[in-house]
Amino acid sequence: MTDTRPVSRFGAVELEDMPDDLRERIGAVAEKSGFVPNVFKALARRPRELRAFLDYHDALMDSNDGLTKAERELVVVATSGANSCTYCVVAHGAILRLRTKDPEIADRVATNPYGVELSPRERAIVDLALIIATESASLTEAELDDARAAGLTEDEIWDVGAITALFAMSNRLAHLTALRPNEEFFLMGRTPRS
C-alpha cells in the first residue's frame, strides 16, 4: 500500500529541484539506498540550513573514530524513542538493524530503552544518551564516571552527547514538519535481501 500523505506539512523539494551541490550529495545517498529519504526532501526547502545539518550529521555519524557506526545509531534510536520521534525511530531503526544484523534491536531500544538487554558498553551508551536527552541539566560527573567505567573514552562520551543533541534538533524538526517516514525504511534490516 502506497502512503499518499504529504512528506511534510511544509511541502517537499524533489531531488531534481534541489541546488546542484545538494542534488549531488543527496543523490549519492539515494543511489546507495535506492530512494531519497524524506528528511532531505523536507529540509531542502531551506538549502543553507540543510547543508549545515548534513555537515554536522556527517561529522558525527560517518566518523570511524571512537564509537562504532552501530553504537552511533543506537544513540539516535534510543533518544528519538525518548523524544517520540517516529521519523527518526523508523529511519535510524532501519540503519541500526542493518548495522547490527539484528532485526529486533531497534524496536526493543525505541520502546523500552531502560529494559532492553544490551552489552555493558551499549547499556552505558544508552543510559548516558537518555540522561542527556531527557534530563541534561541534571547530568553529573557520576553519570560520566559510569560511562568511563564501562570503557567509554572522553571522545566517545562527547560523541554520545553531540549525537544526542543533534538528534534532539532533528526530532523537533520532524515534529514541526510532521515528517513522514519513507515506506522503504520499515522493512530494511528485517528480512534478508533478495
Side-chain angles (χ1 to χ4, degrees):
M1 185 171 113
T2 302
D3 191 340
T4 59
R5 293 175 299 146
V7 166
S8 161
R9 66 171 45 120
F10 292 93
V13 179
E14 294 303 322
L15 185 62
E16 60 270 14
D17 298 325
M18 293 180 192
D20 291 345
D21 64 312
L22 288 174
R23 187 171 51 252
E24 183 177 322
R25 192 169 183 180
I26 293 166
V29 172
E31 188 173 316
K32 185 175 179 181
S33 66
F35 63 97
V36 177
N38 286 342
V39 65
F40 302 139
K41 292 179 180 182
L43 297 183
R45 71 184 307 274
R46 297 179 68 141
R48 197 174 89 187
E49 292 172 29
L50 176 55
R51 288 180 191 101
F53 176 84
L54 288 170
D55 286 345
Y56 197 42
H57 173 279
D58 292 353
L60 291 173
M61 301 304 288
D62 291 342
S63 176
N64 291 318
D65 298 327
L67 298 177
T68 67
K69 290 187 180 188
E71 289 170 339
R72 293 168 192 276
E73 295 298 337
L74 186 65
V75 171
V76 178
V77 172
T79 59
S80 295
N83 289 328
S84 301
C85 181
T86 301
Y87 184 88
C88 292
V89 166
V90 171
H92 289 273
I95 299 168
L96 179 60
R97 289 190 300 273
L98 291 172
R99 296 215 187 279
T100 62
K101 297 178 179 34
D102 180 342
E104 297 178 7
I105 189 168
D107 297 328
R108 291 177 189 220
V109 169
T111 60
N112 188 7
Y114 299 101
V116 65
E117 190 173 318
L118 299 168
S119 72
R121 179 179 168 85
E122 291 167 333
R123 169 57 47 211
I125 289 168
V126 167
D127 287 350
L128 179 59
L130 289 170
I131 289 167
I132 296 167
T134 63
E135 305 174 56
S136 61
S138 69
L139 180 68
T140 68
E141 200 65 29
E143 286 87 19
L144 299 178
D145 287 342
D146 290 344
R148 291 179 188 112
L152 272 69
T153 66
E154 298 300 294
D155 282 340
E156 290 171 333
I157 290 169
W158 184 282
D159 284 342
V160 170
I163 292 165
T164 299
L166 174 66
F167 280 89
M169 180 191 78
S170 183
N171 297 161
R172 280 144 184 86
L173 283 171
H175 291 146
L176 171 69
T177 61
L179 190 56
R180 176 176 51 85
N182 300 69
E183 292 179 16
E184 293 90 343
F185 283 128
F186 287 94
L187 293 180
M188 287 173 61
R190 293 189 193 278
T191 56
R193 285 187 165 178
S194 48

